[in-house]
């Protein structure tokens, strides 16, 4: 797409890129905030290096932040930026391949000295060697202008230089016809006790804005109108925050305390961070010695009547397997959040992948089925968390909730629900005997099941008369004591499986996105690819395809209406950020020859990839 | 639990209806009896008492107690019990573990529980063998032990649970043995009363796979010569006629010596409450090899903030600083805007 | 089947049952030995209580040993014993339901006192209340006769009583027309330094034998002829011993040292026990602090150029997940043996189940495929071990080898192979540079792949010039250094998957057992159910069914000829000791609507169960 | 390795071609430099040297060494290295770990490695924080530490690696710090020379998430007053003018005192080789809180049988007793019969 001057646009994709030390995430977040306040729909995609800091100026050290803002409902941060802000040569080199011809590039000209150019792996200066001819390049001496602006502000030139990201932000805010107000206010608050830093940032911001306004060399200006939103209060939310708040909300709506046992691991740690500051909500966070202790403590808390939660990312899930199996056997509520990252093993710790689905489904010895859910968007993390708690508590079962590295860090505007819109969760604690002994005395049998859910009683310690023992050995049906009886074991195994299968009866009906109702190809995705698949489907439709889209949140048990839906399409395309794990599940379950589309590049699907695959599927239709 | 509550239970009330399934003659029986007889005296409620165990012969313990109980997975009981104890400060949480469960697969959870100091009473049944899996050597087995998995003898030096616990910063550390009910009961009572994590090592005979592992120390014949009773505030003496005593040597270690008028005054007076664990450690390392005179009783008992209490304090501080929980406010805490 | 007197029989199923303290396993093993020496084909099924000793005399404490001996090739220990030897009322009560009418029961009459009868849960004495009328019951005062026989033998009466299992053995040896020689010799050797015990056992054995010969009340006598065996040396072998020896043989045939890292767990510990006594073979066994350390140490050993082996049972496999994923990423040879037991969680530790298949296939985060094999019979454990090593070493990959609690303890006669019949395994260590640097200097790149196997070089430390670093982060193709490049990650993921898929090219062709070649129903099993499925198929054929049987040893990748085979049958029946894990795999892979037959009773399938299911499948055929 | 071999390498030979990716200013750089400069002096071969690490900033170490190396998984390096060391006694196996890696998730492997005593040199980079995961508290963080995961301050008392190691029976335990290259080198050399498992705690500054954690002890200004250099056979004295000394008190602990003629003779003389670890433990517990005078150097260095050596002895004994390995005999060892 070629960018036109002063144009009123429906959507723009903007990408900030620079060195890890350049403050690109901050710049991106501030721009996001302003755009959200303005009323755009938006979606963001932060992308930063794996945890070890690469030497400054190298490709490995590039940190980027992409945002799409739009006047309509969008679902991704976009495929190809219309505007790239590059604070150094490496930031340019790492991202220029994403751009379509005609895109606008704004660079910090000061950073294109010989050393930095070489460090980025360029042989010649790209600003001069003609390699950027197909783009609309503007070089601004941001460092110089920033230090100048800060002269006499009481900061040393070296420190002043650090404010250059605010210069860039000011420039971009001008370009997008946004006011500086929100940012100025934020600076005020954020640097309250570092007044000179605040002043430097303020000056840099203004300088950038004014540079846009006055500089002759600088022309195009965008204007993206607010999106039409249903009325309500809105906030910008990341997947991590939404998950955390969802659990707090579930605690609130169930009246149960929330206990998080966790061991730090990127990109799941943010949930621990967020919840650790919420003790006033009756939240206890426990940074354990390892993942096993973390899930173990959550099981202990669940036994005691709390919502037991443990959060981790992929390698951590491996370590929790045995304890999750215990929870399956104990039939206690437990929520395990896996913020998936690229594997196998340590893999690429900050990059997205969806390759833990099979592991969540089958990663325990023995027959140990449990419900598996996945959140679809950053804000959906909120309700997915509540839903996970509902299922865990209602069915007395561990539940795996899958998120991913992209969801965790991405932002989107979210209409804040009214508290009474949130579901109520009832723990139904056992409160008295539920059986009789052989000689007729009232007794408590911990494995008597509810007729409709097959759930067993949850009987935390403290109630006289309900004393009982549970354990990982096979238990006698109803009675709950240890049993090595083969027939009993078979019955218990089948009961546990039936209980989990029964969770599907509590799902809402599936809703297929098929506006014209005449699609022959169905795109089925799951979890965090919702945004990119929706965008890809939209693009395909623009191209003329009749295609339907269904995004699954419930992976186990599969929804009961799914089979019938799949059967109505001639071709089912299953794009996944793995080698085809949902596809395998659907094939086994429904004996349908679904087509699997995989991507394993530590990045979301682009709309084009999806639309092209849809085109191919339509052509290939049986 | 109200303070007025007076327990009027008997051993029977604390015994579950499950058949006890240890081998006849196993030391676990006497530990079970000691505890079932002691609990009625502790003025606690059955329904507020929970036994959490890992896996092993010892770990079957919860099934025999008519309390709440959890028989969990191998080595993880301290972690699981921690989650329970910090969310339910009203409960009496006991952990029952074996030398393999607590020190082999579960060693890390144990040391972290000890330094964390949540309100747990950890009973470590040390029979110096893997009983449940039929007789492999354990971390406390003496070097050179011939077992199914070490037909030519084991190679590692044994872990001493007491020194390990002291190294990890434990606030209550004690040792007792299955041959002396009243000693066990006295130690268990103290461990229960300790506010924080207490570790009790219990020498326990596995008569099937490691019979007599402690008989050099606690058999009727050996006790006088080899069992050192630690008593707070008293000189550490033992022997049929109290003829031996523990004294410091000039390498910082403790040693055993025959007492006479010339050295009687040098006998170390036992102090459980020393802030510095050095003396307790020296006591734990009194024996340089197996089968030497061995201290029994409370090595260390000091006050440090209990983990759960501190969490409650933080929650209170949180409410103080930010007001009562307001979900609606939380959801707006990152900035919000209104759309009509 | 009704047992006839003095009959020459083709096969007999015999079961010893008594209290855990009664020495039933020993009795069973001795009888097995004698029968093997005699030349019968045989199969055994020990069945003992979970590790905790139950109070004497209760059902929970019953220990049993079943053996089938035959004059033809058999594959299981049989479904229904023809003869039950019960040393106490509990032993009778726990097993009598297995018997068909007419079966012979021999009890130790002395043990049927009031207390013992009650302890076993009988209200009245079964020997007197007519409940055994349909059987052929013989009550022998074994305790009395044994103590009498031992009078003046220098043992106390209480100790003499312990020899009563030898009385029972003597009686049974007489019944089966076997000589006492082998047993006497064994007693000699085994009790060499406990001469009085030896003497008591000898006397008891003779007493039992003579009792058979002289007692009037005792009539039927069996005579099972030797089975026709190919010539060679034979031994009786359990699955555990066969596995252990297989690994020693693989070490021998590869010239590599064998390192076993293990943590004790029933029923896998016997492999550790067996190998720990074999240091003269260059075997190092390492009892680690836990399963993670065990597999970790095996990985370290593999890195150093040994065959790295780790053995465990189901819960232990959970704990190894993360390290196995590391081995996938490092592409190092490693063998993980899982002797499956009944789960989930602690489950029923001594009972058989096949429920870890999905876990072996998918139980790691990320895309981390690896080959999975399963042993079919006790003696097949030997060659399965060698095959696992071959694949691990050739393809530089971890391999999971599945055994189970039944295979581990069961015995069968095995023709001892000549050493030169065993495959040779070549480690092909890297011995020099395999690449060049940019400036043409020779270099070693640890992820350059073999063109045919896609295996990378195995380069243990010690060779100058091959110094290199490997790790769990994603590696640059060929070069092996850390890479966060998305396209590279996708390529590496696909390469690892392709390498594992390629293992199928090294399999032998599948052989379907379909004697008449006209079967319409195919029974597909995997691993340790081989014996019971073969027996069930044989029974179905006796009943007139035309049915084929295929037992899979290779579960991942699946054999390339499997799809075509499945497609030729009208109905595929998949019996498994789980809820249908192989069935799910076949459905996903071949989109064939296989029928799943499951059993979760901690016990093998009986022939009748299989034959009945085959009958049903034939009736139901689409 | 033949004894004639003489190393003629330089730092460059031991440096890999990979860019070092720690934050500018990180203490890890100086540890790397110390080792890369020391190794050429140790007369060992690069190809016989292996660095094994877990996960963390510190754990990136192997990538920078031009030796064999393995960057493994979090906490498991001691176990993985053990498998390597016992199967390859010809190698020099180093383990590099952080305080989280070695003491949090990996605590159990560490203590078992220490008691097992295989030939490993374990370098524990202690920055009292989780660096790689961007700043959560670690097991060595001081109580009350405010981090991302403990906004109201951490609650646990820190683990002291030295006392933990002594409690576990370690045979070589030392401490050094990233501000003193020659001290590091001297300690690393000793650790390498120790036959068995050696543990070196290295105080390491994480200037991004925990800057100055040790500056009270090892900054230029503080060193004289707060850094106690342990030297075998010498009295433990420190201070600008050696005016302070370590003396025993009568509770078995050690204490710091200002020296004068009246107490000079009471100063403890450091002995690394004491069989009983009590004195070393007391030394490790000299500080009752953070930021107090801290001993640096070798706390303990004693000889105990190395694990791998013992395995070799058992293998030899096995061959002795049963003759050379004979597979064909083994396959017949459970009794066999012949069928024609
Ligand atoms: C994960 C796992 N690994 C191994 C086992 C097998 N196992 C059960 S108990 C035990 C050790 C028992 O020893 P100890 O803790 O000393 O208890 P004891 O039986 O001697 O009382 C082992 C290795 C298991 N159940 N789970
Ligand atoms: C199984 C697993 N859990 C958690 C993590 C995340 N993680 C990586 S390094 C680390 C701790 C790092 O701290 P430390 O060992 O002190 O090393 P430092 O970075 O401070 O050098 C954690 C928790 C992981 N990679 N794997
Ligand atoms: S095996 Fe040992 S510890 Fe276990 S029950 Fe028997 S005697 Fe007790
Ligand atoms: S985060 Fe800290 S420890 Fe890690 S590289 Fe940076 S300064 Fe060093
Ligand atoms: Mg034990
Ligand atoms: Mg650290």
């Amino acid at each position: 797409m070629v960018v036109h001057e002063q144009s009123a646009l429906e959507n723009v994709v903007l990408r900030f890129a620079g060195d890890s030390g350049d403050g690109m995430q901050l710049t991106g977040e501030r721009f996001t905030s302003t755009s959200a306040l303005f009323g755009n729909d938006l979606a963001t995609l932060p992308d930063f290096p794996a945890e070890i800091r690469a030497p400054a100026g190298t490709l490995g050290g590039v940190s980027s932040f992409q945002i799409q803002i739009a006047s309509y409902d969008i679902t991704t941060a976009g495929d190809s930026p219309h505007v790239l802000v590059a604070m150094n040569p490496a930031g340019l080199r790492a991202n220029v391949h994403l751009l379509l011809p005609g895109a606008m590039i704004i660079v910090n000209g000061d950073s294109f000295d010989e050393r930095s150019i070489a460090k980025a792996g360029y042989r010649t200066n790209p600003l001069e060697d003609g390699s950027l001819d197909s783009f609309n390049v503007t070089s601004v001496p941001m460092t110089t202008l920033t230090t100048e602006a800060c002269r006499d502000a009481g900061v040393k030139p070296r420190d002043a230089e650090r404010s250059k990201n605010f210069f860039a932000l000011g420039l971009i805010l001008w370009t997008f016809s946004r006011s500086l107000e929100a940012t100025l206010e934020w600076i005020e608050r954020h640097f309250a006790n570092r007044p000179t830093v605040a002043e430097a940032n303020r000056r840099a911001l203004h300088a950038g804005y004014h540079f846009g306004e006055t500089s002759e060399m600088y022309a195009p200006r965008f204007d993206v109108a607010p999106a039409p939103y249903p009325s309500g209060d809105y906030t910008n939310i990341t997947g991590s925050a939404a998950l955390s708040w969802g659990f707090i909300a579930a605690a609130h709506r169930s009246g149960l305390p929330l206990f998080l046992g966790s061991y730090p691991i990127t990109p799941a740690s943010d949930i621990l961070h967020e919840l650790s500051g919420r003790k006033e909500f009756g939240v206890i966070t426990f940074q354990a010695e390892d993942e096993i202790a973390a899930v173990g403590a959550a099981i202990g808390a669940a036994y005691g009547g709390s919502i037991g939660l443990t959060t981790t990312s992929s390698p951590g899930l491996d370590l929790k397997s045995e304890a999750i199996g215990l929870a399956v056997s104990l039939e206690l509520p437990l929520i395990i959040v896996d913020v998936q990252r690229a594997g196998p093993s340590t893999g690429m710790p900050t990059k997205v992948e969806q390759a833990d689905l099979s592991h969540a489904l089958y990663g325990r010895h023995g027959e140990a089925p449990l419900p598996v859910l996945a959140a679809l968007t950053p804000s959906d993390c909120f309700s997915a968390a509540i839903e996970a708690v509902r299922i865990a508590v209602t069915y007395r079962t561990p539940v795996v909730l899958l998120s991913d590295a992209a969801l965790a860090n991405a932002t989107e505007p979210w209409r804040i629900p009214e508290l009474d819109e949130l579901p109520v969760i009832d723990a139904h604690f056992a409160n008295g005997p539920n059986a009789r002994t052989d000689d007729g005395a009232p007794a408590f049998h911990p494995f008597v099941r509810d007729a409709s859910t097959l759930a067993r009683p949850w009987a935390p310690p403290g109630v006289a008369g309900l004393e009982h023992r549970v354990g990982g050995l096979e238990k006698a049906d109803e009675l709950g004591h240890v049993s090595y009886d083969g027939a009993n074991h078979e019955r218990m195994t089948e009961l546990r499986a039936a209980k989990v299968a029964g969770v599907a009866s509590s799902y809402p009906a599936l809703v297929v996105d098929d506006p014209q109702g005449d699609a022959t190809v169905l795109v089925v995705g799951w979890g965090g690819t919702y945004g990119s698949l929706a965008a890809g489907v939209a693009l395909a439709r623009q191209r003329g395809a009749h295609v339907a889209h269904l995004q699954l949140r419930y992976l186990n048990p599969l929804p009961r209406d799914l089979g019938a839906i799949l059967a109505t399409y001639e071709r089912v395309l299953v794009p996944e950020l793995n080698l085809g794990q949902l596809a395998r599940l659907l094939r086994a379950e429904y004996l349908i020859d679904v087509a699997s589309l995989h991507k394993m590049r530590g990045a979301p699907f682009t709309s084009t990839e999806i639309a092209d695959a849809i085109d191919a599927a339509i052509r290939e239709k049986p | 639990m109200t303070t007025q509550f007076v327990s009027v239970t008997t051993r029977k009330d604390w015994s579950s209806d499950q058949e006890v399934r240890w081998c006849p003659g196993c030391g676990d029986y006497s530990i079970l009896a000691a505890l079932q007889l002691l609990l009625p005296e502790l003025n606690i409620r059955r329904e507020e008492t929970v036994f959490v165990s890992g896996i092993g012969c010892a770990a079957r313990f919860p099934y025999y107690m008519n309390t709440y109980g959890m028989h969990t997975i191998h080595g993880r009981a301290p972690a699981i019990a921690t989650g329970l104890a910090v969310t339910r400060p009203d409960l009496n949480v006991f952990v029952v573990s074996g030398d393999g469960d607590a020190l082999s697969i579960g060693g890390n959870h144990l040391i972290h529980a000890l330094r964390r100091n949540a309100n747990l009473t950890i009973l470590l049944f040390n029979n110096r063998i893997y009983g449940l899996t039929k007789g492999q050597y354990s971390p406390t087995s003496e070097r050179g032990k011939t077992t199914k998995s070490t037909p030519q003898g084991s190679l590692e030096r044994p872990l001493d649970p007491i020194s390990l616990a002291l190294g990890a910063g434990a606030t209550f550390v004690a040792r007792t043995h299955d041959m002396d009910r009243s000693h066990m009961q006295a130690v268990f009572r103290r461990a229960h009363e300790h506010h924080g994590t207490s570790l009790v090592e219990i020498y326990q005979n596995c008569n099937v796979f490691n019979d007599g592992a402690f008989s050099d120390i606690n058999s009727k014949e050996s006790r006088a010569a080899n069992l050192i009773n630690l008593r707070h505030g008293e000189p550490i003496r033992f022997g049929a006629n109290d003829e031996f005593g523990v004294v410091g040597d000039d390498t910082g270690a403790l040693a055993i010596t025959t007492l006479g008028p010339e050295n009687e005054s040098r006998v170390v007076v036992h102090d459980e409450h020393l802030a510095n664990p050095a003396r307790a450690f020296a006591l734990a390392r009194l024996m340089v090899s197996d089968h030497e005179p061995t201290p029994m009783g409370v090595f260390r008992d000091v006050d440090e903030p209990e983990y759960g209490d501190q969490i409650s304090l933080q929650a209170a501080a949180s409410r103080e600083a930010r007001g009562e929980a307001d979900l609606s406010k939380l959801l707006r805490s990152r900035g919000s805007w209104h759309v009509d």
Side-chain angles (χ1 to χ4, degrees), chain B residues 203 214-219 222-223 226-227 291-292 294 296:
Chain B
Y203 280 2
F214 305 105
S215 59
D216 283 359
I217 289 152
N218 66 0
S219 68
S222 322
R223 267 186 225 185
N226 277 338
L227 198 153
H291 315 306
E292 289 180 33
T294 300
M296 288 281 159

Side-chain angles (χ1 to χ4, degrees), chain A residues 83-333:
Chain A
V83 183
L84 171 68
V85 180
M87 300 303 283
N88 69 354
L92 177 65
R93 180 138 188 264
N95 292 295
V96 72
H97 67 277
L98 297 172
L99 309 181
L100 297 178
M104 175 168 167
I105 299 176
I106 306 173
V107 301
N108 174 9
D110 291 333
S111 68
F112 281 69
D113 57 273
E114 219 164 284
R115 226 178 120 249
S116 307
I117 289 170
K119 252 198 182 161
Y122 281 118
R123 277 154 214 261
T124 55
N125 186 338
L127 302 181
E128 292 162 5
D129 63 8
S131 62
L132 302 176
D133 280 358
S134 61
F135 306 107
N136 182 349
V137 182
T138 313
S139 173
V140 183
M142 301 190 192
T143 316
T144 318
L145 294 172
T146 304
T147 22
E148 296 232 326
C150 295
R151 195 181 310 166
D152 315 320
V155 288
K156 294 192 217 106
R158 262 207 66 133
D159 291 345
E161 207 193 301
R162 293 236 188 101
S163 297
K164 65 179 180 295
N165 59 329
F166 279 91
F167 182 99
L169 179 60
L171 180 54
I172 289 297
L173 287 175
W174 177 83
T175 313
F176 283 84
S177 319
R178 298 282 184 269
S179 96
L180 299 184
E181 209 175 323
T183 311
L184 288 169
E185 203 180 90
W186 183 87
I187 292 175
E188 187 82 26
R189 247 186 309 121
H190 203 75
F191 297 100
N193 38 24
R194 281 180 290 167
T196 52
V197 178
E199 181 57 17
N201 288 340
R202 250 190 313 264
R203 290 192 184 196
L205 186 74
H206 282 290
Y209 197 85
H210 297 147
F211 179 85
E213 211 161 85
T214 54
S215 152
E216 294 252 318
M217 57 178 277
Y218 192 70
R221 202 163 170 216
F222 305 107
D223 211 344
V224 182
Y229 275 115
S231 95
D233 281 359
Y234 284 78
T235 188
N236 255 326
I237 194 153
T238 64
S240 294
L243 256 184
S244 311
W245 294 355
F247 287 117
I248 293 177
H252 182 78
R253 297 297 280 178
S254 61
L256 300 175
L258 175 66
F259 176 90
L260 168 65
S262 191
Y263 185 68
I265 185 166
T266 308
S269 311
D270 284 337
I271 307 168
L272 169 63
H273 301 162
E274 173 65 29
L275 287 175
S276 62
R278 302 294 171 198
K279 295 217 174 51
E280 69 274 21
F281 284 90
V283 178
I284 293 181
T285 57
F286 172 69
Q287 180 177 318
E289 58 270 24
D290 66 11
E291 282 85 353
I292 303 178
V295 62
I299 290 173
Y303 180 76
S306 291
I307 298 176
L309 168 66
T310 187
T311 52
T312 192
S313 177
S314 308
L317 186 60
D318 296 15
L319 291 168
K320 294 181 197 286
S321 305
E322 192 198 9
I324 296 173
L326 174 67
V328 168
S329 173
L330 296 179
E331 302 192 43
L332 278 175

Side-chain angles (χ1 to χ4, degrees), chain B residues 98-100 125 127-131 138:
Chain B
D99 42 326
F125 293 26
N127 55 12
R128 310 188 81 170
I129 199 80
Y130 285 181
S138 92

Side-chain angles (χ1 to χ4, degrees), chain A residues 535-558:
Chain A
V537 166
L539 177 58
R541 286 180 188 148
Q542 273 174 36
R543 292 184 186 168
H546 292 202
V547 56
H549 176 206
L550 174 63
Q551 193 75 9
L552 296 179
R553 160 188 265 188
Y554 301 99
L555 284 322
N556 192 48
L558 288 168

